[in-house]
Amino acid sequence: METGELREPREPGPGAETAAARCWEETKTFYENLAPKKKPKSPKPQNAVTIAVSSRALFRMDEEQRIYTEQGVEEYVRYQLEHENEPFSPGPAFPFVKALEAVNRRLRELYPDSEDIFDIVLVTNNHAQVGVRLINSINHYDLFIERFCMTGGNSPICYLKAYHTNLYLSADAEKVREAIDEGIAAATIFSPSRDVAVSQSQLRVAFDGDAVLFSDESERIVKAHGLDRFFEHEKAHENKPLAQGPLKGFLEALGRLQKKFYSKGLRLECPIRTYLVTARSAASSGARALKTLRSWGLETDEALFLAGAPKGPLLEKIRPHIFFDDQMFHVAGAQEMGTVAAHVPYGVAQKPRPPAPLKPAPAAQ
């Protein structure tokens, strides 16, 4: 061929198009793996099961809290800014939140377009400047928490209903009482005295009955008239459902999500398991508790009637991510056995609050 002569294009050889397509797919996969992983979309609050968690419940902030208490807010903020690239250590609610996210992954696999999942909101009265360290900590542990509520020293309780909160967990007992007074399911969470491994694939939640799932009606009778009268009352009212307690709605939300797995034939592989752990006796007062749940269309996977025996040893076997009780005696017993326990300040068993100080009368004009 002479210089400058054009050559007819050759037809591609056998398999050339297949090789080119394979090369393109490999190249695309390579660059997709380099790109940051896309996080799932946050659900609308009104469609989700919203869990509001305080910063001191999610992370350990003992040193920071000491500085705030002893040296004031300015020194506290300065310390947080100086350490904002150091992630906080996990707090008592951390394993619970990780278990919620594990359930969400399963739900998204089965129902890709559904927003009926857990939505976690970080609720704190921290100043916004502290938010960078909280965000860095959340990203460090690869948590999916997109919603923050930082109130700069004011109580965050007034915002909980706007977030459609189904459960509020905090280390601040007074804020938990405020939430309960507002009709929001809430509990003060405590760290266990020792670390115990919990399930990474199944969310386990244990509830006391009276003054937690149910009202404190029966506890009032025990306090006023003793156990014998209580047993008589429960027998006479066995077929009358108890009124609901502060955490009935949260159990209801868990049950709704469980049914999404049941409808796919996954009852035995469900990643949510619930427990009723009550001091009631099965023979003398257990029927009313179970019939109350049935009347609500609810159930727990396991019902454990201890007839007054300590709850801690049984909880050690269950290894729940969280256990709710209205009596600090049982909360402390659970802590000793390595269980993350949460106190529900509701009902007759609670210590009376001191009266609010009287406001001085305005000066005469």
Side-chain angles (χ1 to χ4, degrees):
M1 181 178 66
E2 295 182 5
T3 304
E5 182 181 352
L6 295 175
R7 188 191 309 185
E8 290 291 326
R10 291 186 298 176
E11 293 293 324
E17 291 183 4
T18 303
R22 186 169 60 250
C23 180
W24 162 245
E25 287 299 324
E26 290 174 353
T27 302
K28 184 172 72 169
T29 301
F30 173 77
Y31 283 106
E32 284 176 350
N33 289 335
L34 286 181
K37 299 296 180 185
K38 184 179 179 182
K39 288 191 173 183
K41 185 180 177 182
S42 294
K44 295 182 180 67
Q46 63 268 29
N47 297 335
V49 178
T50 301
I51 311 297
V53 184
S54 77
S55 55
R56 287 201 294 133
L58 185 60
F59 299 117
R60 290 191 183 277
M61 301 176 66
D62 300 337
E63 177 63 15
E64 291 78 6
Q65 185 65 17
R66 185 191 64 78
I67 292 171
Y68 175 81
T69 302
E70 295 178 2
Q71 302 178 42
V73 64
E74 296 302 326
E75 187 63 24
Y76 170 81
V77 171
R78 186 191 67 77
Y79 180 89
Q80 295 281 33
L81 293 176
E82 288 179 355
H83 295 80
E84 68 179 19
N85 292 318
E86 300 173 16
F88 293 112
S89 298
F94 190 92
F96 176 64
V97 168
K98 293 291 284 186
L100 297 178
E101 295 193 340
V103 173
N104 278 355
R105 285 192 290 273
R106 294 283 305 278
L107 284 168
R108 288 190 179 101
E109 291 170 2
L110 296 172
Y111 302 92
D113 300 321
S114 175
E115 292 191 328
D116 194 9
I117 58 175
F118 293 111
D119 186 26
I120 301 148
V121 180
L122 187 70
V123 177
T124 174
N125 62 353
N126 266 301
H127 289 259
Q129 291 186 71
V130 182
V132 173
R133 190 177 184 192
L134 290 169
I135 291 169
N136 288 343
S137 298
I138 284 167
N139 290 334
H140 173 79
Y141 295 109
D142 197 27
L143 299 174
F144 183 66
I145 301 177
E146 296 292 309
R147 302 191 205 278
F148 274 40
C149 177
M150 292 179 285
T151 60
N154 292 329
S155 172
I157 303 306
C158 61
Y159 295 103
L160 293 179
K161 287 186 178 178
Y163 280 100
H164 297 265
T165 300
N166 296 89
L167 176 68
Y168 170 58
L169 296 175
S170 175
D172 188 325
E174 188 53 44
K175 289 187 176 61
V176 167
R177 290 191 200 97
E178 288 181 42
I180 289 282
D181 289 344
E182 291 294 320
I184 297 166
T188 310
I189 194 166
F190 294 89
S191 297
S193 59
R194 56 190 174 88
D195 292 331
V196 172
V198 292
S199 174
Q200 301 296 309
S201 58
Q202 184 181 63
L203 169 66
R204 298 177 185 174
V205 183
F207 300 89
D208 179 30
D210 296 297
V212 175
L213 293 178
F214 315 129
S215 72
D216 67 340
E217 169 196 327
S218 299
E219 288 192 347
R220 288 181 179 275
I221 292 171
V222 173
K223 192 174 182 67
H225 305 290
L227 276 174
D228 289 341
R229 181 69 178 275
F230 163 72
F231 292 142
E232 292 171 8
H233 178 270
E234 292 302 289
K235 191 67 177 175
H237 295 80
E238 180 179 312
N239 294 312
K240 180 184 177 183
L242 290 153
Q244 72 178 48
L247 264 67
K248 180 253 188 178
F250 181 51
L251 176 64
E252 193 171 34
L254 293 176
R256 187 177 74 244
L257 295 184
Q258 283 180 309
K259 288 175 181 176
K260 294 170 79 76
F261 292 97
Y262 299 169
S263 66
K264 297 288 188 179
L266 297 172
R267 177 179 282 269
L268 297 180
E269 294 81 31
C270 181
I272 303 172
R273 193 164 184 85
T274 56
Y275 304 79
L276 173 64
V277 182
T278 173
R280 283 176 174 249
S281 166
S284 57
S285 57
R288 191 180 186 198
L290 295 178
K291 288 183 177 181
T292 295
L293 291 174
R294 186 193 301 165
S295 74
W296 294 341
L298 300 179
E299 61 179 325
T300 56
D301 295 291
E302 298 187 27
L304 306 167
F305 295 92
L306 302 186
K311 298 181 180 182
L314 229 99
L315 290 166
E316 185 183 25
K317 300 300 181 185
I318 295 171
R319 297 194 176 191
H321 293 88
I322 194 166
F323 164 61
F324 297 98
D325 203 290
D326 69 304
Q327 298 192 43
M328 281 302 300
F329 170 79
H330 292 303
V331 169
Q335 282 182 278
E336 289 174 9
M337 305 303 287
T339 296
V340 174
H343 178 239
V344 181
Y346 175 83
V348 71
Q350 308 310 309
K351 291 181 180 178
R353 298 188 201 179
L358 295 174
K359 294 182 180 179
Q365 297 295 321

